[in-house]
């Protein structure tokens, strides 16, 4: 009798003692779950690092320009002129012609 047959003869009676209707994930299930958990942890760590670099505050000069670029006239009349008499379309053209602020490096 070969060693493989001897081992099978000893192990097979133990397998019959197990409940055939019971399914467990075993070691492979734990390893896969642990790898997924480690991957999620690494993604969260990377996301936190990137979110710390984001600058949420707008520069002081861009807030009024952004409000005018949306098409609404703040404090103007129905004809499309502002309270001081300037045309809203002229203001948008001036904003478009202005140089864009330099991008934040970092």
């Amino acid at each position: 009798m070969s060693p493989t047959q001897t081992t099978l003869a000893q192990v097979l009676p133990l397998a019959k003692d197990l409940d055939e209707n019971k399914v467990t994930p075993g070691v492979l299930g734990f390893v896969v779950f642990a790898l997924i958990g480690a991957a999620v942890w690494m993604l969260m760590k990377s996301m936190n690092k990137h979110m710390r670099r984001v600058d949420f505050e707008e520069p002081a000069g861009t807030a009024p320009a952004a409000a005018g670029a949306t098409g609404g006239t703040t404090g103007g009349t129905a004809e499309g002129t502002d309270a001081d008499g300037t045309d809203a379309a002229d203001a948008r053209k001036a904003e478009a012609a202005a140089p864009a602020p330099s991008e934040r490096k970092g």
Side-chain angles (χ1 to χ4, degrees), residues 18-89:
L18 294 176
D19 186 12
E20 294 177 2
N21 295 326
K22 185 178 179 182
V23 178
T24 60
V27 176
L28 180 63
F30 172 76
V31 169
V32 170
F33 188 76
L35 288 174
I36 291 172
V40 168
W41 178 75
M42 289 170 43
L43 284 171
M44 292 293 290
K45 188 175 178 180
S46 174
M47 184 191 69
N48 283 333
K49 181 175 76 170
H50 286 280
M51 290 301 286
R52 272 189 237 113
R53 292 182 182 174
V54 175
D55 184 21
F56 289 105
E57 295 181 19
E58 291 185 20
T62 61
T70 59
T73 55
T74 56
T77 61
E79 293 86 29
T81 58
D82 289 339
D84 61 352
T86 59
D87 191 14

